[in-house]
Amino acid sequence: MDSTHSGDVTRGSLGEVARVFLRLGLTAFGGPAAHIAMMEDEVVRRRAWLPREEFLDLLGATNLIPGPNSTELAIHLGHRRAGWPGLLVAGACFIVPAMLLTLAAAWAYVRFGTLPQAGALLYGVKPVILAVVLQALWGLGKTALTTRPRAIVAVGAAVASALGVNELLILALAGGSLAAWLHLRSAPAPTSMLALSPLALHGVTAVTATASAPFSLGGLFLFFLKVGSVLFGSGYVLLAFLRADLVERWGWLTEAQLLDAVAVGQFTPGPVFTTATFIGYLVGGVPGAGLATLGIFLPAFVFVALSGPLVPRLRRSRTAGAVLDGVNAASLALMAVVTWQLGRAALVDGWTVALAVLGAVLLLRWRVNSAWLVLGGAAVGLLRAL
């Protein structure tokens, strides 16, 4: 089955999918929460590719499998819009622009020994991204938090996240608590909670770690394949994975190089996981960049292909549907906490506050495309730095 709401979704062309995700890949600054907000703006509000309820289900499903959430959401959306070819096209078009920009930054870093200055760019981009994410949270929240138990779960998840509780534990408790509430309110549903097990099992899928050895392209590919196969959580979790093996165990990178690689992943648009492209270039040139990128993103395509057909089945099961509702509510809460952190970093003076307010007005009053807002914010930041 291709859709949770098959009657509401019409198929589109591969060219349409490619155009949308290429533009997002070039303009989606700000990390996964911002990427998700821009996708919601583009495919739900503007193009009506799918209902907001299904968008939320796909977002919840990405939190149940390892890998980069926003990239996996792009892959899901491409599959929903244009079938299996759309799955490949959407993922590739979202990843490749960021990969090429990161590759250019890595070349400049090796050539000149420093990173291009990105502070001015991000100065103007972050405030408008804040407006985009808040708009998406408002729209998704009105759909996901329609009952008191879901709202309570979301508040609890936000508090737990702010206190530093592990994201996976928050999602598990949120889903379990809503399923338990369902069973307390009614007779047990016939479908067992084991309906979730195919998704949960992906979380423990791992490729055998490369043994301690001198640098090789094959070892680099297998390392990033392992990371893409088992990594849940934020870019900070990625940093811990990379530091343990690449810096401490094998000595392929210095601490400073690793921090610079993560910084490049943060200030380029598209997936943060393109940090792998930068690292691959530093240790193995262009072939290393290509293999590292392929390794870290390949599992996302596989996991989405395997889990995508299960999402409609989860929704049809009362128990699994309640778990998904809890995961959806917790996912929005996690986005809200990230947005609060983004706001503290983005709103640093009167100019940035004015940019955020202007962005919100343009979004809500004139429904300006979020990609244009990002480009406008970047231009303001660069002009102010002159």
Side-chain angles (χ1 to χ4, degrees), residues 55-81:
F55 183 90
L56 277 164
D57 283 350
L58 296 179
L59 174 59
T62 66
N63 282 292
L64 297 172
I65 56 177
N69 288 3
S70 57
T71 304
E72 289 168 344
L73 183 58
I75 297 168
H76 267 304
L77 292 169
H79 179 240
R80 284 293 185 267
R81 187 62 179 171

Side-chain angles (χ1 to χ4, degrees), residues 338-366:
V338 170
T339 305
W340 169 256
Q341 295 164 348
L342 175 66
R344 293 174 62 189
L347 304 180
V348 295
D349 56 23
W351 279 96
T352 49
V353 172
L355 275 173
V357 172
L358 178 61
V361 170
L362 290 174
L363 277 172
L364 297 172
R365 178 68 179 85
W366 287 286

Side-chain angles (χ1 to χ4, degrees), residues 55-251:
F55 183 90
L56 277 164
D57 283 350
L58 296 179
L59 174 59
T62 66
N63 282 292
L64 297 172
I65 56 177
N69 288 3
S70 57
T71 304
E72 289 168 344
L73 183 58
I75 297 168
H76 267 304
L77 292 169
H79 179 240
R80 284 293 185 267
R81 187 62 179 171
W84 295 107
L87 177 148
L88 296 172
V89 168
C93 288
F94 187 61
I95 294 166
V96 168
M99 173 192 168
L100 294 177
L101 288 170
T102 304
L103 190 60
W107 174 85
Y109 181 81
V110 170
R111 178 79 182 269
F112 304 111
T114 185
L115 289 171
Q117 291 300 313
L121 183 75
L122 293 181
Y123 174 88
V125 167
K126 283 183 177 179
V128 296
I129 283 291
L130 188 63
V132 174
V133 177
L134 287 172
Q135 182 205 34
L137 280 173
W138 177 254
L140 293 172
K142 288 193 296 183
T143 301
L145 308 180
T146 53
T147 66
R148 184 174 295 176
R150 293 184 198 176
I152 292 171
V153 164
V155 171
V159 171
S161 178
L163 293 174
V165 177
N166 181 274
E167 294 171 355
L168 274 180
L169 180 59
I170 292 172
L171 293 168
L173 290 175
S177 61
L178 267 192
W181 179 85
L182 171 71
H183 280 266
L184 288 173
R185 287 289 303 264
S186 61
T191 303
S192 166
M193 284 279 285
L194 289 175
L196 275 178
S197 61
L199 286 178
L201 284 173
H202 294 318
V204 296
T205 302
V207 177
T208 303
T210 49
S212 180
F215 171 77
S216 70
L217 288 174
L220 181 73
F221 173 75
L222 287 175
F223 169 73
F224 279 107
L225 190 68
K226 178 193 74 172
V227 171
S229 298
V230 302
L231 184 66
F232 284 91
S234 67
Y236 299 110
V237 181
L238 174 65
L239 176 60
F241 261 69
L242 300 179
R243 186 175 184 276
D245 281 345
L246 298 180
V247 177
E248 295 185 340
R249 185 177 305 169
W250 299 329

